[in-house]
């Protein structure tokens, strides 16, 4: 409960637009928002060290233990769980973000363009950002005319 849902969505949107690992980028934004520079530094360290430790442990296990087949099957389970967790996050965030008809239409269009036509994600983000800006000015003009 450090941030409200709108702030978290904002952090994810910014983090996805920057190069690097999204989780680390989100940690930087949240750490900075809560505690400034040192909060960002602490968040990076706290989010990177467990991953590095896990990778080191995993590589050690590959060298020491003859468990290639078991690890291969374990990684299949990890992939499945990861997909399920991402799907749950998309559904939860979608409920709070997709509140207007236009939001739902843009989401559906972006999903179809990405999945069916394999349009580059960067191009989609830029195009839909432009659509959002255009929509803003259209709504602003309508409100001024009334």
């Amino acid at each position: 409960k450090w941030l409200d849902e709108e702030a978290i969505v904002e952090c994810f949107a910014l983090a996805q637009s920057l190069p690097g690992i999204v989780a680390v980028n989100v940690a930087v934004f949240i750490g900075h928002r809560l505690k400034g520079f040192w909060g960002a530094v602490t968040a990076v360290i706290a989010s990177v060290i467990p991953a590095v430790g896990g990778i080191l442990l995993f590589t050690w296990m590959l060298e020491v233990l003859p468990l290639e087949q078991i690890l291969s099957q374990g990684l299949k389970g990890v992939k499945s769980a990861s997909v399920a967790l991402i799907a749950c996050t998309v559904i939860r965030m979608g409920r709070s973000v997709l509140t207007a008809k236009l939001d739902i239409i843009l989401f559906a269009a972006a999903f179809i363009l990405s999945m069916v036509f394999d349009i580059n994600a960067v191009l989609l983000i830029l195009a839909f950002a432009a659509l959002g800006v255009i929509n803003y000015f259209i709504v602003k003009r309508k409100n001024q005319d009334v």
Side-chain angles (χ1 to χ4, degrees):
K1 307 253 178 197
W2 290 336
L3 303 172
D4 59 7
E5 282 189 43
E6 186 177 324
I8 290 173
V9 170
E10 212 175 272
C11 285
F12 270 99
L14 287 169
Q16 289 176 344
S17 67
L18 296 173
I21 303 167
V22 174
V24 175
N25 292 345
V26 170
V28 169
F29 284 120
I30 293 174
H32 186 268
R33 193 168 234 186
L34 294 175
K35 296 291 181 180
F37 174 78
W38 291 111
V41 169
T42 303
V44 168
I45 292 169
S47 61
V48 170
I49 287 178
V52 171
I55 290 169
L56 291 174
L57 178 65
F58 185 73
T59 54
W60 173 80
M61 286 175 61
L62 282 176
E63 289 180 13
V64 174
L65 305 170
L67 301 175
E68 285 184 43
Q69 190 71 345
I70 294 171
L71 290 174
S72 173
Q73 295 302 314
L75 287 176
K76 284 183 181 180
V78 168
K79 284 192 251 181
S80 300
S82 297
V83 170
L85 291 171
I86 291 169
C88 288
T89 302
V90 167
I91 291 168
R92 284 189 189 123
M93 287 182 74
R95 286 182 188 151
S96 65
V97 175
L98 304 175
T99 55
K101 286 182 184 177
L102 180 63
D103 298 337
I104 295 169
I105 291 168
L106 291 175
F107 169 79
F111 183 80
I112 290 168
L113 289 170
S114 177
M115 295 302 293
V116 176
F117 299 105
D118 200 26
I119 305 284
N120 185 299
V122 173
L123 294 176
L124 285 175
I125 290 169
L126 292 173
F128 282 81
L131 286 173
V133 170
I134 291 167
N135 181 58
Y136 168 79
F137 285 112
I138 290 170
V139 170
K140 184 178 177 182
R141 181 178 286 170
K142 278 185 183 178
N143 290 340
Q144 287 177 348
D145 290 343
V146 172

